[in-house]
Amino acid sequence: QVQLQESGPGLVKPSQTLSLTCTVSGGSITRNYYYYNWIRQPPGKGLEWMGATASDGSIYYSPSLKSRTSISRDTSKNQFTLQLRSVTPEDTAVYYCARSTTLTTSGNRNEYNSWGQGTQVTVSS
């Protein structure tokens, strides 16, 4: 069974770049056809899809975050990463990585078949 685990700093200063890594175990990120997503949930709000990388290496971004977001992957480590530039306190959220079988921009948990536990990121000086 595939497992996902987020890692990265829990505190980022305003205007800096937030960098998170998702390590996938139990299956190669290049096999079959899956989408590996970044999703966040600000306090008191719903889930927001940020972007994804597919098994073939294709990358997709949320239009609202595209100008500040970069997603990449390291197939040798079976990891994919998120960078969010020029963060503000509004970027404070729990950040999740999750796998889906279709490209979905949904904030519905049922659209994703595997989730990381989530990591809290706070943007504050």
Side-chain angles (χ1 to χ4, degrees):
Q1 182 176 352
V2 70
Q3 293 184 323
L4 297 89
Q5 178 67 59
E6 306 89 350
S7 60
L11 180 64
V12 182
K13 294 183 178 180
S15 80
Q16 292 188 342
T17 296
L18 180 162
S19 296
L20 296 174
T21 296
C22 183
T23 301
V24 181
S25 59
S28 171
I29 62 173
T30 64
R31 289 184 62 183
N32 296 320
Y33 209 84
Y34 292 102
Y35 297 86
Y36 293 89
N37 304 267
W38 286 104
I39 300 158
R40 67 181 182 178
Q41 186 168 26
K45 297 184 179 180
L47 294 170
E48 179 185 18
W49 180 80
M50 303 180 69
T53 180
S55 299
D56 67 359
S58 301
I59 298 174
Y60 307 86
Y61 295 107
S62 166
S64 64
L65 295 170
K66 184 176 182 179
S67 64
R68 299 195 292 131
T69 305
S70 294
I71 293 173
S72 61
R73 66 179 193 174
D74 185 337
T75 57
S76 68
K77 296 180 179 180
N78 218 38
Q79 296 174 333
F80 62 106
T81 63
L82 170 74
Q83 290 192 323
L84 183 64
R85 297 177 289 276
S86 304
V87 297
T88 72
E90 286 66 39
D91 293 310
T92 294
V94 178
Y95 286 76
Y96 298 93
C97 55
R99 191 182 75 169
S100 60
T101 57
T102 60
L103 179 61
T104 176
T105 62
S106 170
N108 184 344
R109 281 189 171 271
N110 294 331
E111 297 288 339
Y112 307 90
N113 56 25
S114 298
W115 286 79
Q117 64 181 22
T119 187
Q120 172 69 48
V121 177
T122 300
V123 180
S124 175
S125 55

